[in-house]
Amino acid sequence: MRAKWLLVIAAVMAVTLGTAQTALADNNATGTVGAVQTGPVGVTPTADVSQAGATAAASVPVAVGGSGNNTATNSVGAVQAGGGNSSNDSTGSVQVSSVSASPSASAGASGSSASASVPVTVGGSGNNTASSSTGGVQIGGGNSSSGSAGVLQSGSPQASPTVGASIVGEAVSASAPVGVAGSGNSAADSVGAAQVGGGNTVTRSFLAAQSGAVTAGTTAGAGDTTTSAPVTVGGGGGGTNSATDSVGTAQVGGGNTATGSTGTVQSGPVGGTPSVGSGPTATAASTPAASASTPAPASAAGAPSPGTRTSEGAPRQDRNTFGATKTPTGGPRTLGQLPFTGLGLLLFVLLGLTLVATGFTARARTRLSV
């Protein structure tokens, strides 16, 4: 009976593997030296630990997708993973279809817990094509390199790292999603081009960096308070980035064009809307703080205006500094008065000089008489 069950399990596994094999992409290498080709790949390593009331777990699932065949013709050192990759008359080309990874980890002990995850994807529609190129790297799909050297092309990357924790009943969390939109990058007869996202075209250029619309939004929360700071560069149908016969061009966001230029930096529109949200207690406390930054002026009589408060015992603004002479408002300006009096200073100066002179005269006479 046991032998029959083993035969049944073996038959089911054989049928399953045979069916899955037909779904994989075919790999073709013609006139090629040093080619490495593989179809879609997926792995999910995990680890769990539990000891003395403490637990920890981690997993790192990674997958390389794609559809279609991998083809390398008359190439040297071609590496192709996933499906839909084509390399013709090229040297040192690396082509990878859509990639996704979701590493995560969690831990808990004594009623507290923490977790973190970093899901990352690099997508793109279409195939990766390298023709008569050297040292080209293409990831995600929809990338084309022709007669170029040292080209890096990536489909739409997306990442959403998040962390969270619960300590003594208080929840804390934070996330920082970021992504580059678009699909379809093209490099022709260029050297040192880097293209990310999509809608990027570089022709007969040297050292060009191009990126589609970028979005980033950092959020954090603790208790009843949350903050966010979303930022966008480009987007909203901003168009494509194009660099032709240019040197040292950087374009971000879409809708940028450089022709016959040197050292050009172009960016789409930049927008940001930071915000802070809180519970009833925190929101009520923020209102007086805003009004305190622009205090209302006091009335003409020196009394505080309605709705404001004056600290008891604090010096008033209209009082004179200790030892300073008080001059009536609107009266003639008087100079040289003794402090705490209204007497003129000139009279006392003359009197002092007279006494000094008298003293010197008396002293001289006394010496002569001696």
Side-chain angles (χ1 to χ4, degrees):
M1 186 67 179
R2 183 177 179 182
K4 291 183 178 180
W5 277 110
L6 292 175
L7 291 175
V8 171
I9 294 173
V12 171
M13 292 179 63
V15 171
T16 303
L17 292 176
T19 304
Q21 185 66 30
T22 59
L24 298 177
D26 293 331
N27 301 309
N28 302 313
T30 303
T32 299
V33 178
V36 178
Q37 298 172 314
T38 180
V41 179
V43 294
T44 309
T46 60
D48 296 288
V49 177
S50 178
Q51 185 176 6
T55 60
S59 67
V60 188
V62 179
V64 178
S67 60
N69 302 328
N70 295 317
T71 303
T73 304
N74 301 326
S75 298
V76 177
V79 178
Q80 298 173 323
N85 302 303
S86 176
S87 175
N88 300 317
D89 301 319
S90 298
T91 302
S93 61
V94 178
Q95 298 171 313
V96 182
S97 299
S98 59
V99 180
S100 63
S102 300
S104 62
S106 62
S110 303
S112 301
S113 62
S115 63
S117 63
V118 188
V120 178
T121 61
V122 180
S125 59
N127 302 329
N128 295 316
T129 302
S131 176
S132 303
S133 298
T134 302
V137 178
Q138 299 172 322
I139 304 175
N143 302 303
S144 175
S145 175
S146 175
S148 299
V151 175
L152 171 62
Q153 298 174 313
S154 171
S156 174
Q158 306 287 332
S160 300
T162 59
V163 294
S166 178
I167 303 175
V168 195
E170 283 292 332
V172 179
S173 63
S175 64
V178 61
V180 181
S183 178
N185 299 306
S186 176
D189 303 322
S190 298
V191 177
Q195 299 172 317
V196 181
N200 302 304
T201 301
V202 58
T203 305
R204 298 184 304 275
S205 296
F206 178 73
L207 295 179
Q210 298 173 315
S211 172
V214 180
T215 59
T218 303
T219 60
D224 295 333
T225 303
T226 59
T227 62
S228 63
V231 178
T232 60
V233 180
T240 62
N241 296 313
S242 176
T244 305
D245 300 323
S246 299
V247 177
T249 302
Q251 299 171 322
V252 181
N256 304 303
T257 302
T259 303
S261 302
T262 302
T264 303
V265 178
Q266 298 172 315
S267 172
V270 180
T273 55
S275 63
V276 178
S278 58
T281 304
T283 304
S286 62
T287 303
S291 61
S293 61
T294 55
S299 61
S305 301
T308 61
R309 295 180 179 178
T310 303
S311 300
E312 293 294 335
R316 293 174 53 186
Q317 295 182 356
D318 58 349
R319 291 181 177 179
N320 293 312
T321 307
F322 181 78
T325 304
K326 182 177 180 181
T327 303
T329 305
R333 188 178 181 183
T334 305
L335 299 177
Q337 289 185 348
L338 290 177
F340 312 107
T341 69
L343 299 177
L345 181 62
L346 180 59
L347 176 61
F348 288 90
V349 171
L350 296 177
L351 179 60
L353 293 176
T354 303
L355 293 176
V356 171
T358 305
F360 278 113
T361 303
R363 185 177 181 182
R365 292 179 179 177
T366 302
R367 288 181 177 178
L368 293 176
S369 63
V370 174

